[in-house]
Amino acid sequence: MSIAIYPGTFDPITFGHIDVASRASKAFDELIVVVMNNSLKMNSLFDTEERMELLEKTFKNSDNISIDSHSGLLVDYLKKKDIHVVVRGLRAVSDFEYEMQMAAANKALYPTLDTFFLMTDTQYSFISSTLVKEIAFHGENIDRWVPEHVRKSMAEKIEQIRKNV
Ligand code: COA
């Protein structure tokens, strides 16, 4: 059985991520979407459990997509689970250098690992979670970039933040 993981911060998940995960789930028997606690991204809008809940809701009708989380190095998760394939999305040429570095470093740490790249649908090639959060903070409509349940949770969070300022 072929198993792959799709790791990311997913703060929050966007249609760009959903596009990559959905297409990858057709190429592998099982896809695990792993919420990573990225130590370089300190100020997340959603905590790990909330991000996982949003992902669970997003993929509730997908038979072969499951959700997990991990703190620390990606390769430690892969070794623990005996998984050898990572899926990553490429949005633009600007992603390439960082992705190549990460794929090479991960392979150096775990030689049986392969990274599979999928091109993100061009309509999502310019978005990022940060961009969507910024647009939402300023009150603009983000319907075309995130599912309704994500939009609602973001609106609640933003409301809470505004009350606490
Ligand atoms: N559509 C839309 N947006 C996308 C996208 C897509 N298909 N793919 C990525 N993005 C966005 C993400 O939302 C993210 O936005 P943000 O920076 O505003 O949060 C941005 O593009 C970068 O995405 P990505 O490169 O996937 O970063 P990430 O933080 O989501 O994931 C990890 C990076 C967590 C997978 C990586 O840092 C990691 O593995 N960390 C663990 C430590 C480790 O092992 N490091 C490697 C050592 S060699």
Side-chain angles (χ1 to χ4, degrees), residues 6-10 14 16-17 20 36 38 41 72-75 88-89 91 98-99 102 105-106 109 120 124 127-131:
Y6 178 38
T9 306
F10 304 116
T14 66
H17 300 123
V20 171
M36 300 292 294
N38 192 338
K41 290 184 181 175
L73 286 181
L74 185 64
V75 289
R88 298 284 292 163
R91 288 167 301 170
Y98 168 68
E99 290 298 336
M102 205 159 69
N106 282 332
L109 294 168
T120 304
Y124 307 122
I127 62 165
S128 68
S129 300
T130 301
L131 209 72

Side-chain angles (χ1 to χ4, degrees), residues 90 95-106 115 117:
L90 284 176
D95 280 344
F96 184 75
E97 203 174 329
Y98 168 68
E99 290 298 336
M100 210 179 74
Q101 260 183 347
M102 205 159 69
N106 282 332
T115 305
F117 294 103

Side-chain angles (χ1 to χ4, degrees), residues 73-84 106 108-112:
L73 286 181
L74 185 64
V75 289
D76 289 340
Y77 179 89
L78 293 159
K79 285 177 186 171
K80 192 175 74 187
K81 300 271 181 181
D82 195 24
I83 296 172
H84 305 265
N106 282 332
L109 294 168
Y110 189 29
T112 56

Side-chain angles (χ1 to χ4, degrees), residues 27 32-33 35 47 52-53 61 97 131-132 134 142 144 151 159 162 165:
I32 310 175
V33 181
V35 175
D47 65 28
M52 286 180 75
E53 269 171 40
N61 295 324
E97 203 174 329
L131 209 72
V132 171
E134 195 176 349
I142 52 167
R144 76 192 105 153
R151 190 201 58 75
E159 185 65 25
R162 290 225 168 90
V165 173

